[in-house]
Amino acid sequence: MADKGDDPEGETGVITKTRPKTQRPPLYKVLLLNDDYTPMEFVVHVLERFFGMSHAQAFELMLVVHKKGVAVVGVFSFEVAETKVAQVMDFARRHQHPLQCTMERE
């Protein structure tokens, strides 16, 4: 009979490995805020250009922003959301519009 000290794997001879559960990275909502100065056409253009929406989708979402004051325009990983916010803010600033875009954790 073999001594337990001779079997480094334990009595059954099976090595079990536990995999750590990987967590999905948190997602972030990108929000567009309404103001009284940015033209509606500019907001539609931003939604088409930076969020890949069709004209009809962009127009509908622009109306949501206009009526409710804020709307979620996309949900992304932190890096992508941060980039989208920076792109929109830079584009609005270059065109001298006070459009505001923010992000928050979902």
Side-chain angles (χ1 to χ4, degrees):
M1 178 162 248
D3 186 11
K4 284 185 182 177
D6 295 340
D7 187 9
E9 298 172 353
E11 287 187 25
T12 61
V14 176
I15 297 176
T16 57
K17 291 184 180 180
T18 57
R19 284 188 174 174
K21 288 199 173 202
T22 55
Q23 293 181 344
R24 290 188 177 267
L27 295 176
Y28 290 80
K29 298 184 284 190
V30 174
L31 307 164
L32 214 51
L33 306 171
N34 187 43
D35 63 73
D36 294 333
Y37 302 102
T38 304
M40 293 179 178
E41 299 82 22
F42 184 79
V43 176
V44 170
H45 180 69
V46 164
L47 294 170
E48 291 171 345
R49 179 172 178 166
F50 297 106
F51 298 95
M53 296 182 186
S54 69
H55 185 75
Q57 290 171 320
F59 188 82
E60 283 187 36
L61 197 53
M62 175 275 299
L63 287 177
V64 172
V65 172
H66 180 69
K67 291 176 183 174
K68 294 190 176 182
V70 64
V72 176
V73 295
V75 179
F76 308 96
S77 67
F78 178 81
E79 292 81 9
V80 173
E82 187 177 48
T83 301
K84 296 275 186 193
V85 168
Q87 288 174 329
V88 169
M89 294 297 292
D90 181 57
F91 190 70
R93 199 173 9 232
R94 281 189 285 133
H95 289 84
Q96 300 178 349
H97 294 299
L99 182 65
Q100 293 293 304
C101 186
T102 62
M103 61 187 262
E104 66 181 38
R105 192 170 176 160
E106 190 173 45

